[in-house]
Tab-separated table of all heavy atoms in Angstrom:
chain	number	residue	atom	x	y	z
J	267	LEU	N	25.723	13.290	-38.020
J	267	LEU	CA	25.287	14.639	-37.638
J	267	LEU	C	23.845	14.615	-37.115
J	267	LEU	O	23.513	15.317	-36.161
J	267	LEU	CB	25.407	15.603	-38.827
J	267	LEU	CG	26.823	15.940	-39.295
J	267	LEU	CD1	26.794	16.779	-40.573
J	267	LEU	CD2	27.611	16.681	-38.223
J	268	GLN	N	23.017	13.799	-37.757
J	268	GLN	CA	21.634	13.638	-37.290
J	268	GLN	C	21.605	13.048	-35.882
J	268	GLN	O	20.919	13.552	-35.002
J	268	GLN	CB	20.869	12.701	-38.231
J	268	GLN	CG	20.403	13.334	-39.514
J	268	GLN	CD	19.287	14.341	-39.321
J	268	GLN	OE1	19.520	15.536	-39.334
J	268	GLN	NE2	18.069	13.855	-39.113
J	269	ASP	N	22.390	11.980	-35.698
J	269	ASP	CA	22.427	11.301	-34.397
J	269	ASP	C	22.873	12.250	-33.290
J	269	ASP	O	22.426	12.152	-32.155
J	269	ASP	CB	23.383	10.101	-34.444
J	269	ASP	CG	22.861	8.994	-35.348
J	269	ASP	OD1	21.671	9.037	-35.706
J	269	ASP	OD2	23.651	8.091	-35.699
J	270	ASP	N	23.773	13.147	-33.624
J	270	ASP	CA	24.286	14.089	-32.628
J	270	ASP	C	23.406	15.331	-32.481
J	270	ASP	O	23.736	16.229	-31.710
J	270	ASP	CB	25.717	14.528	-33.000
J	270	ASP	CG	26.741	13.420	-32.817
J	270	ASP	OD1	26.324	12.284	-32.485
J	270	ASP	OD2	27.947	13.670	-32.998
J	271	GLY	N	22.350	15.384	-33.261
J	271	GLY	CA	21.426	16.519	-33.152
J	271	GLY	C	21.969	17.819	-33.724
J	271	GLY	O	21.512	18.896	-33.369
J	272	LEU	N	22.936	17.703	-34.621
J	272	LEU	CA	23.536	18.912	-35.204
J	272	LEU	C	22.831	19.328	-36.493
J	272	LEU	O	22.980	20.459	-36.946
J	272	LEU	CB	25.028	18.692	-35.452
J	272	LEU	CG	25.831	18.234	-34.225
J	272	LEU	CD1	27.303	18.051	-34.566
J	272	LEU	CD2	25.673	19.210	-33.068
J	273	THR	N	22.084	18.390	-37.049
J	273	THR	CA	21.272	18.712	-38.229
J	273	THR	C	19.864	18.158	-38.003
J	273	THR	O	19.648	17.316	-37.126
J	273	THR	CB	21.833	18.085	-39.522
J	273	THR	OG1	21.929	16.671	-39.355
J	273	THR	CG2	23.205	18.657	-39.877
J	274	GLU	N	18.940	18.624	-38.828
J	274	GLU	CA	17.579	18.085	-38.780
J	274	GLU	C	17.030	18.051	-40.200
J	274	GLU	O	17.472	18.811	-41.059
J	274	GLU	CB	16.683	18.946	-37.883
J	274	GLU	CG	16.568	20.391	-38.363
J	274	GLU	CD	15.868	21.301	-37.377
J	274	GLU	OE1	15.357	20.787	-36.367
J	274	GLU	OE2	15.849	22.524	-37.621
J	275	LEU	N	16.086	17.136	-40.411
J	275	LEU	CA	15.467	17.046	-41.726
J	275	LEU	C	14.393	18.105	-41.858
J	275	LEU	O	13.632	18.348	-40.924
J	275	LEU	CB	14.863	15.655	-41.926
J	275	LEU	CG	15.884	14.564	-42.257
J	275	LEU	CD1	15.247	13.185	-42.139
J	275	LEU	CD2	16.435	14.770	-43.671
J	276	VAL	N	14.347	18.724	-43.030
J	276	VAL	CA	13.307	19.711	-43.291
J	276	VAL	C	12.582	19.325	-44.571
J	276	VAL	O	13.148	18.614	-45.414
J	276	VAL	CB	13.889	21.145	-43.420
J	276	VAL	CG1	14.502	21.593	-42.101
J	276	VAL	CG2	14.907	21.231	-44.540
J	277	PRO	N	11.330	19.770	-44.733
J	277	PRO	CA	10.582	19.446	-45.954
J	277	PRO	C	11.376	19.839	-47.207
J	277	PRO	O	11.941	20.929	-47.276
J	277	PRO	CB	9.308	20.274	-45.819
J	277	PRO	CG	9.146	20.466	-44.349
J	277	PRO	CD	10.527	20.543	-43.785
J	278	GLY	N	11.369	18.934	-48.166
J	278	GLY	CA	12.265	19.070	-49.309
J	278	GLY	C	11.823	20.000	-50.414
J	278	GLY	O	12.448	20.058	-51.460
J	279	GLY	N	10.757	20.726	-50.218
J	279	GLY	CA	10.312	21.635	-51.261
J	279	GLY	C	9.446	20.920	-52.267
J	279	GLY	O	8.271	20.668	-52.010
J	280	ASP	N	10.003	20.536	-53.393
J	280	ASP	CA	9.199	19.868	-54.412
J	280	ASP	C	9.299	18.352	-54.253
J	280	ASP	O	10.264	17.829	-53.727
J	280	ASP	CB	9.635	20.293	-55.811
J	280	ASP	CG	11.129	20.175	-55.987
J	280	ASP	OD1	11.782	19.476	-55.175
J	280	ASP	OD2	11.653	20.775	-56.922
J	281	GLY	N	8.313	17.667	-54.746
J	281	GLY	CA	8.271	16.223	-54.621
J	281	GLY	C	8.848	15.503	-55.828
J	281	GLY	O	8.584	14.340	-56.042
J	282	ASP	N	9.647	16.213	-56.600
J	282	ASP	CA	10.197	15.629	-57.819
J	282	ASP	C	11.010	14.369	-57.538
J	282	ASP	O	10.826	13.346	-58.176
J	282	ASP	CB	11.104	16.640	-58.530
J	282	ASP	CG	10.291	17.658	-59.311
J	282	ASP	OD1	9.064	17.507	-59.339
J	282	ASP	OD2	10.889	18.591	-59.863
J	283	HIS	N	11.911	14.512	-56.596
J	283	HIS	CA	12.758	13.372	-56.246
J	283	HIS	C	12.399	12.910	-54.842
J	283	HIS	O	12.850	13.478	-53.870
J	283	HIS	CB	14.237	13.761	-56.311
J	283	HIS	CG	14.718	13.992	-57.706
J	283	HIS	ND1	15.265	12.981	-58.464
J	283	HIS	CD2	14.714	15.091	-58.482
J	283	HIS	CE1	15.592	13.466	-59.652
J	283	HIS	NE2	15.272	14.748	-59.690
J	284	PRO	N	11.584	11.851	-54.771
J	284	PRO	CA	11.045	11.431	-53.478
J	284	PRO	C	12.121	10.985	-52.492
J	284	PRO	O	11.939	11.077	-51.293
J	284	PRO	CB	10.111	10.275	-53.840
J	284	PRO	CG	10.461	9.879	-55.227
J	284	PRO	CD	11.148	11.014	-55.885
J	285	SER	N	13.267	10.504	-53.011
J	285	SER	CA	14.302	10.024	-52.109
J	285	SER	C	15.142	11.156	-51.529
J	285	SER	O	15.913	10.957	-50.596
J	285	SER	CB	15.215	9.035	-52.841
J	285	SER	OG	15.790	9.646	-53.968
J	286	ARG	N	14.984	12.338	-52.086
J	286	ARG	CA	15.770	13.480	-51.656
J	286	ARG	C	15.479	13.882	-50.214
J	286	ARG	O	14.325	14.039	-49.825
J	286	ARG	CB	15.488	14.654	-52.595
J	286	ARG	CG	16.262	15.918	-52.283
J	286	ARG	CD	15.889	16.992	-53.297
J	286	ARG	NE	16.298	18.303	-52.877
J	286	ARG	CZ	17.498	18.834	-53.166
J	286	ARG	NH1	18.353	18.153	-53.886
J	286	ARG	NH2	17.800	20.036	-52.736
J	287	LYS	N	16.554	14.045	-49.430
J	287	LYS	CA	16.409	14.439	-48.024
J	287	LYS	C	17.173	15.736	-47.795
J	287	LYS	O	18.380	15.804	-48.032
J	287	LYS	CB	16.973	13.349	-47.110
J	287	LYS	CG	16.175	12.057	-47.141
J	287	LYS	CD	16.971	10.869	-46.669
J	287	LYS	CE	17.103	10.797	-45.167
J	287	LYS	NZ	17.789	9.541	-44.754
J	288	VAL	N	16.446	16.736	-47.343
J	288	VAL	CA	17.080	18.044	-47.139
J	288	VAL	C	17.376	18.262	-45.652
J	288	VAL	O	16.493	18.104	-44.811
J	288	VAL	CB	16.195	19.178	-47.683
J	288	VAL	CG1	16.825	20.540	-47.397
J	288	VAL	CG2	15.988	18.999	-49.187
J	289	TYR	N	18.622	18.606	-45.380
J	289	TYR	CA	19.075	18.804	-44.006
J	289	TYR	C	19.266	20.292	-43.717
J	289	TYR	O	19.649	21.064	-44.595
J	289	TYR	CB	20.415	18.097	-43.782
J	289	TYR	CG	20.351	16.597	-43.944
J	289	TYR	CD1	20.462	16.007	-45.205
J	289	TYR	CD2	20.203	15.768	-42.836
J	289	TYR	CE1	20.409	14.635	-45.359
J	289	TYR	CE2	20.139	14.389	-42.976
J	289	TYR	CZ	20.253	13.827	-44.238
J	289	TYR	OH	20.193	12.467	-44.388
J	290	ALA	N	19.017	20.651	-42.467
J	290	ALA	CA	19.297	22.014	-42.007
J	290	ALA	C	20.098	21.921	-40.716
J	290	ALA	O	20.003	20.926	-39.984
J	290	ALA	CB	17.997	22.774	-41.770
J	291	ALA	N	20.887	22.944	-40.425
J	291	ALA	CA	21.674	22.952	-39.193
J	291	ALA	C	20.796	23.368	-38.029
J	291	ALA	O	19.987	24.292	-38.140
J	291	ALA	CB	22.847	23.904	-39.338
J	292	THR	N	20.954	22.685	-36.912
J	292	THR	CA	20.245	23.078	-35.692
J	292	THR	C	21.091	24.110	-34.949
J	292	THR	O	22.233	24.385	-35.333
J	292	THR	CB	20.038	21.862	-34.770
J	292	THR	OG1	21.330	21.371	-34.390
J	292	THR	CG2	19.265	20.766	-35.468
J	293	ALA	N	20.517	24.672	-33.868
J	293	ALA	CA	21.282	25.626	-33.050
J	293	ALA	C	22.548	24.951	-32.518
J	293	ALA	O	23.634	25.542	-32.522
J	293	ALA	CB	20.418	26.140	-31.902
J	294	ALA	N	22.396	23.702	-32.085
J	294	ALA	CA	23.562	22.951	-31.582
J	294	ALA	C	24.595	22.775	-32.681
J	294	ALA	O	25.810	22.842	-32.428
J	294	ALA	CB	23.119	21.590	-31.055
J	295	GLY	N	24.122	22.549	-33.898
J	295	GLY	CA	25.024	22.401	-35.038
J	295	GLY	C	25.814	23.661	-35.296
J	295	GLY	O	27.022	23.619	-35.528
J	296	ARG	N	25.127	24.785	-35.257
J	296	ARG	CA	25.808	26.068	-35.489
J	296	ARG	C	26.843	26.360	-34.405
J	296	ARG	O	27.922	26.897	-34.690
J	296	ARG	CB	24.778	27.208	-35.532
J	296	ARG	CG	23.972	27.186	-36.808
J	296	ARG	CD	22.894	28.234	-36.866
J	296	ARG	NE	22.044	27.963	-38.009
J	296	ARG	CZ	22.353	28.285	-39.265
J	296	ARG	NH1	23.480	28.909	-39.510
J	296	ARG	NH2	21.547	27.964	-40.255
J	297	GLU	N	26.494	25.980	-33.187
J	297	GLU	CA	27.424	26.217	-32.084
J	297	GLU	C	28.669	25.307	-32.213
J	297	GLU	O	29.802	25.750	-32.012
J	297	GLU	CB	26.720	25.971	-30.742
J	297	GLU	CG	27.602	26.072	-29.521
J	297	GLU	CD	28.415	27.356	-29.447
J	297	GLU	OE1	27.968	28.389	-29.997
J	297	GLU	OE2	29.519	27.325	-28.848
J	298	ALA	N	28.447	24.049	-32.589
J	298	ALA	CA	29.573	23.118	-32.785
J	298	ALA	C	30.483	23.639	-33.890
J	298	ALA	O	31.718	23.612	-33.765
J	298	ALA	CB	29.039	21.730	-33.142
J	299	LEU	N	29.873	24.123	-34.938
J	299	LEU	CA	30.625	24.669	-36.062
J	299	LEU	C	31.432	25.892	-35.623
J	299	LEU	O	32.621	26.009	-35.916
J	299	LEU	CB	29.634	25.052	-37.165
J	299	LEU	CG	30.180	25.475	-38.521
J	299	LEU	CD1	31.055	24.388	-39.124
J	299	LEU	CD2	29.017	25.795	-39.467
J	300	ARG	N	30.754	26.790	-34.905
J	300	ARG	CA	31.404	28.009	-34.451
J	300	ARG	C	32.675	27.714	-33.657
J	300	ARG	O	33.728	28.296	-33.902
J	300	ARG	CB	30.432	28.812	-33.572
J	300	ARG	CG	30.860	30.233	-33.288
J	300	ARG	CD	30.213	30.767	-32.021
J	300	ARG	NE	30.576	29.973	-30.841
J	300	ARG	CZ	31.769	29.987	-30.262
J	300	ARG	NH1	32.727	30.763	-30.724
J	300	ARG	NH2	32.001	29.217	-29.215
Side-chain angles (χ1 to χ4, degrees):
Chain J
L267 292 174
Q268 281 290 102
D269 292 346
D270 289 5
L272 306 180
T273 57
E274 60 189 353
L275 283 168
V276 295
D280 50 17
D282 281 356
H283 290 269
S285 58
R286 181 180 165 90
K287 293 159 78 175
V288 177
Y289 297 84
T292 62
R296 287 177 190 280
E297 175 52 28
L299 188 58
R300 193 203 60 73

